[in-house]
Structure formats: structure tokens, C-alpha cells
Amino acid sequence: MLNTTQQNEAEQIDKPIILHVPLVSQYAQAGYLCGYADAAYMATLPTIPYIVDHEAQGHYVAFEVKGDSMNDGTEEAIIEGDRLLCREIMPHLWADSKLHIRKWDFVIVHKDGILVKRILDHDVEHHTITIHSLNSLYEDKVIDLADVRQIFNVVELQRPRRR
């Protein structure tokens, strides 16, 4: 049997790094399309903490998933209500060179809305990407990068516990 002092002792290996990231909820997505470049608007968004294992480099935003386009019923599914920690890919990187499409899923801030997709092809010469939904009810679509405001790669997924 452990004595009281032994029960309460715990060693912390490394001090965790907590990243406080703006959260774009399902209800804030329309406003985000207009205000993503406005620091004052971004400051009004709630933040969500993420524990990371190293100092974060880049611009991070969390998005709450809306819709079922990435739900195929498998363990790879991204479902409505999931929260995605995302790192922005700077525009010059997706304008001048190919995205690392085999490694990530993406959040694409498009002129018509916020999309969570896989990217099947990135045509640098014609400035297009082919986006793919995991849900087979949605067809692949080619979009012009001129209509894209931001691209983020999905770094981490948080899923609320559901029964």
C-alpha cells in the first residue's frame, strides 16, 4: 500500500506548450470569409487550447467541421462537429510549387465557403486543384486557385465524445 506522499507525487517530464488558437465555429464561418484578413475580427473569435510538443511555427486556426462531405464511415472520416487544428500554407507556396497532397487533408477558404477536402491533384501551371470528398455522394471538383483565399493543412483532429 502506498503512503499519501507517494500517491500524490508525479514527475513532469517536459513542460507542455499550450497553443491558444482562434476557433472558427460552424456559425462563424460566413463571417470568417469576410474577416480572415482583419486582425480586429480575428481577435473577436474565441480561442481553443491545444497541447503541442514543440514551439509552433506559422499561423494556426482551428475550424469546426460543418457537413458530411468527409464522412465515409471509416476511421479516416472527418465528421460534423470535429475540430481541426490547421496550419496555414502561405499563398506563394501553393502558387509556385506543388502542395504535399499525400500527407495532409486540407481546409480551403474559398470565395464560396470553407471546405474540408483531400486534394487529389495540384496543377501549378494552370493554377487549379482537384478536391475530393471522402463521402461518395460528392463528386471531385476542380477549383481555380484565384478563387481561394487561404489553404491550411490539417495538423490534428479533436472529436467530441459521442454515443
Side-chain angles (χ1 to χ4, degrees):
M1 182 161 174
L2 295 174
N3 67 35
T4 310
T5 53
Q6 288 175 322
Q7 286 178 337
N8 294 330
E9 289 181 27
E11 285 188 45
Q12 187 171 342
I13 298 170
D14 288 317
K15 185 174 180 179
I17 299 168
I18 301 174
L19 186 63
H20 293 274
V21 178
L23 172 64
V24 180
S25 71
Q26 294 178 11
Y27 308 103
Q29 290 185 8
Y32 184 81
L33 290 174
C34 298
Y36 69 90
D38 180 2
Y41 170 78
M42 292 299 290
T44 68
L45 293 173
T47 60
I48 184 170
Y50 282 90
I51 297 172
V52 295
D53 58 2
H54 61 278
E55 195 65 40
Q57 301 293 319
H59 177 238
Y60 288 79
V61 177
F63 292 91
E64 188 176 53
V65 175
K66 184 177 179 179
D68 68 348
S69 71
M70 291 297 283
N71 187 356
D72 63 353
T74 69
E75 67 181 31
E76 289 190 31
I78 299 174
I79 63 176
E80 185 157 344
D82 285 353
R83 291 181 175 171
L84 307 175
L85 175 63
C86 301
R87 182 178 55 236
E88 185 175 11
I89 302 168
M90 300 313 296
H92 70 275
L93 295 173
W94 39 275
D96 300 335
S97 58
K98 281 194 171 250
L99 293 166
H100 297 272
I101 60 176
R102 294 191 194 334
K103 190 173 182 180
W104 308 101
D105 287 322
F106 296 87
V107 171
I108 301 159
V109 180
H110 186 268
K111 69 175 186 171
D112 295 332
I114 297 173
L115 311 169
V116 180
K117 301 292 177 192
R118 290 223 167 131
I119 297 176
L120 297 179
D121 184 51
H122 178 194
D123 186 334
V124 178
E125 183 180 339
H126 294 102
H127 306 285
T128 62
I129 54 176
T130 304
I131 58 175
H132 174 74
S133 300
L134 295 181
N135 186 332
S136 62
L137 296 175
Y138 298 86
E139 292 186 15
D140 294 350
K141 185 176 177 183
V142 177
I143 59 175
D144 191 325
L145 288 172
D147 296 331
V148 173
R149 309 294 180 252
Q150 292 176 298
I151 298 178
F152 294 84
N153 51 9
V154 177
V155 176
E156 185 176 314
L157 178 145
Q158 281 185 349
R159 177 165 294 155
R161 179 162 161 70
R162 299 179 183 97
R163 290 185 59 168

